[in-house]
């Protein structure tokens, strides 16, 4: 009986979440938290229910269409994950990518990064409506990427051909709590704001683009003070887009008072939590201690990790 196992990293948006939906650039990086999916071929039909059944139907549907497969082998599906779900860390893209790669192995189609990325995007569309494609591209290819969805059918991305400077390469992730809304709902909220207040929202989107251009240089050159100012400004823009709730804002203001900068890193959330927050400071150790004293859950992550891989 055949088996297949792939692991895929999560991601963070260093900048550009939401504005990327409007054709602006985003900088995303793969992190050292991974999802592992294993398939074990079985002789008898396995029972799937709930979310797993939904995922199986969608993934098989996409693979069926691409490869004109009519029958899938029976299999057992195992998912183990280090990535918190629904926190803006790309867990859904990572699960889908690993699952698709396993299924293609089982079908004897072999591994092809481009195909896995394309099919992951198709599955993400079923879950998230009209995603930019940034999440799937980052988790599949890994590293740190500059990503732009030009016109839906044309998506451009470039793996950054340099590492971030040691002074500006370490970030903390702080948990602001699970969002009540889905990423799809948050994208819809921004869309409705864009329809109602086009001029002012366009200004924010343009500002995010300029900030992304400055941030990539500051990160490469280790310009810590610039990184702090740019992250702060980008967070203010996200707040104006209505994707950051009160709890996240109070944590972010606390980090700022301590001399650092912080922002949400995905779709966000307004009613309750806003998912994970990334924090940067010249004194990361001091910041970590203060946040621990305040009982704010912290994760330390490294960026630019490798993309999907066979296990
Ligand atoms: O919440 P996440 O990790 O799925 O990130 C969403 C990022 C958005 O820019 C809000 C949506 C998108 O499709 O890029």
């Amino acid at each position: 009986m055949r088996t297949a196992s792939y692991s895929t990293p999560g991601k963070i948006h260093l900048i550009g979440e939401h504005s990327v939906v409007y054709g602006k650039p985003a900088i995303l990086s793969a992190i050292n938290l991974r999802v592992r999916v294993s398939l074990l071929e079985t002789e008898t039909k396995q029972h799937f229910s709930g979310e797993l059944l939904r995922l199986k139907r969608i993934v098989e549907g996409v693979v069926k269409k691409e490869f004109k497969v009519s029958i899938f082998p029976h299999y057992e599906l195992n998912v183990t994950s280090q990535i918190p779900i629904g926190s803006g860390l790309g867990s859904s893209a990572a699960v889908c990518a690993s699952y698709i790669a396993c299924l293609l192995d089982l079908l004897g189609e072999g591994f092809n990064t481009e195909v896995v990325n394309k099919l992951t995007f198709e599955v993400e569309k079923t879950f998230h409506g009209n995603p930019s494609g940034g999440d799937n591209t980052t988790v599949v290819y890994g590293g740190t990427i500059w990503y732009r969805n030009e016109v839906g059918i044309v998506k451009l991305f470039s793996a950054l051909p340099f590492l971030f400077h040691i002074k500006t390469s370490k970030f903390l992730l702080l948990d602001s709590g699970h969002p009540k809304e889905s990423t799809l709902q948050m994208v819809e909220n921004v869309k409705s704001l864009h329809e109602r207040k086009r001029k002012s929202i366009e200004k924010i989107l343009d500002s995010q683009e300029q900030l992304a251009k400055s941030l990539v240089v500051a990160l490469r050159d280790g310009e810590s003070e610039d990184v702090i100012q740019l992250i702060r400004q980008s967070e203010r823009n996200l707040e104006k887009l209505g994707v950051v709730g009160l709890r996240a804002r109070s944590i972010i203001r606390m980090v700022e008072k301590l001399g650092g900068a912080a922002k949400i890193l995905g779709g966000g959330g307004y009613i309750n939590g806003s998912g994970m927050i990334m924090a940067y400071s010249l004194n990361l150790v001091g910041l970590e201690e203060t946040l621990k004293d305040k009982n704010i859950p912290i994760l330390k992550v490294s960026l630019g990790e490798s993309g999907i891989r066979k296990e």
Side-chain angles (χ1 to χ4, degrees):
M1 288 282 141
R2 287 167 296 180
T3 60
S5 186
Y6 282 84
S7 81
T8 307
K11 64 81 207 174
I12 65 170
H13 277 80
L14 286 151
I15 196 163
E17 56 278 80
H18 288 288
S19 45
V20 71
V21 175
Y22 297 84
K24 303 297 184 189
I27 308 171
L28 303 102
S29 193
I31 58 174
N32 61 332
L33 300 175
R34 303 184 77 86
V35 161
R36 183 172 173 158
V37 176
S38 306
L39 295 195
L40 169 67
E41 192 180 2
T42 56
E43 272 169 9
T44 52
K45 192 173 176 189
Q46 301 298 305
H47 179 71
F48 288 82
S49 61
E51 275 303 299
L52 224 47
L53 177 62
R54 181 164 175 242
L55 177 68
K56 181 175 186 278
R57 286 192 176 138
I58 295 170
V59 166
E60 288 187 357
V62 164
V63 170
K64 199 175 195 168
K65 197 168 162 202
E66 177 73 14
F67 291 96
K68 318 269 178 290
V69 188
S70 49
I71 302 168
F72 287 92
H74 298 309
Y75 56 83
E76 229 176 74
L77 170 66
N78 277 303
V79 182
T80 51
S81 180
Q82 302 169 320
I83 310 172
I85 295 169
S87 301
L89 295 178
S91 79
S92 105
V95 170
C96 294
S98 289
Y99 185 0
I100 289 166
C102 285
L103 201 52
L104 297 188
D105 249 26
L106 231 57
L107 293 171
E109 290 294 340
F111 180 80
N112 179 317
T113 319
E114 214 173 303
V115 172
V116 172
N117 188 36
K118 177 179 144 191
L119 300 187
T120 305
F121 180 62
E122 290 305 316
V123 175
E124 286 275 280
K125 277 205 274 194
T126 321
F127 284 119
H128 304 303
N130 184 24
S132 64
D135 283 19
N136 54 278
T137 306
T138 308
V139 304
V140 169
Y141 285 91
T144 301
I145 66 165
W146 179 272
Y147 183 88
R148 214 188 246 273
N149 180 344
E150 293 290 338
V151 282
I153 50 167
V154 184
K155 301 179 187 72
L156 303 180
F157 70 95
S158 167
L160 295 187
F162 48 81
L163 293 174
F164 292 155
H165 194 283
I166 184 95
K167 285 197 322 207
T168 47
S169 60
K170 292 197 177 69
F171 298 86
L172 289 180
L173 299 191
L174 320 176
D175 194 354
S176 79
H178 210 273
K180 190 171 187 330
E181 310 91 329
S182 64
T183 293
L184 173 60
Q185 280 167 318
M186 295 315 290
V187 170
E188 286 298 315
N189 290 354
V190 176
K191 189 175 164 204
S192 116
L193 201 62
H194 185 246
E195 279 161 9
R196 283 181 283 126
K197 299 184 171 176
R198 189 169 293 264
K199 240 181 158 177
S200 62
I201 299 300
E202 282 295 331
K203 249 183 156 173
I204 295 170
L205 302 176
D206 289 344
S207 159
Q208 288 296 77
E209 171 157 22
Q210 292 314 316
L211 294 174
K213 288 178 179 172
S214 303
L215 183 64
V216 73
V217 177
L219 288 167
R220 185 199 60 180
D221 296 346
E223 299 291 352
S224 309
E225 286 301 338
D226 289 354
V227 168
I228 289 174
Q229 294 311 323
L230 294 163
I231 293 176
R232 285 182 183 178
Q233 288 175 51
S234 139
E235 165 61 23
R236 289 296 183 288
N237 282 341
L238 289 164
E239 289 174 17
K240 287 183 198 153
L241 293 179
V243 295
V244 190
L246 278 182
R247 166 125 183 97
R249 267 185 277 170
S250 80
I251 296 173
I252 291 166
R253 291 300 95 81
M254 191 195 308
V255 175
E256 290 173 353
K257 272 203 185 125
L258 294 163
K263 63 176 274 296
I264 61 153
L265 43 69
Y270 190 76
I271 300 169
N272 289 339
S274 309
M276 288 288 176
I277 290 169
M278 56 168 256
Y280 176 74
S281 166
L282 285 166
N283 177 9
L284 224 46
V285 178
L287 177 65
E288 193 182 342
E289 275 165 16
T290 313
L291 293 168
K292 266 189 194 153
D293 284 346
K294 297 198 181 294
N295 286 327
I296 295 170
I298 297 176
L299 272 176
K300 274 197 239 174
V301 286
S302 51
L303 306 185
E305 294 290 325
S306 55
I308 189 166
R309 65 171 181 240
K310 198 175 171 86
E311 295 291 345

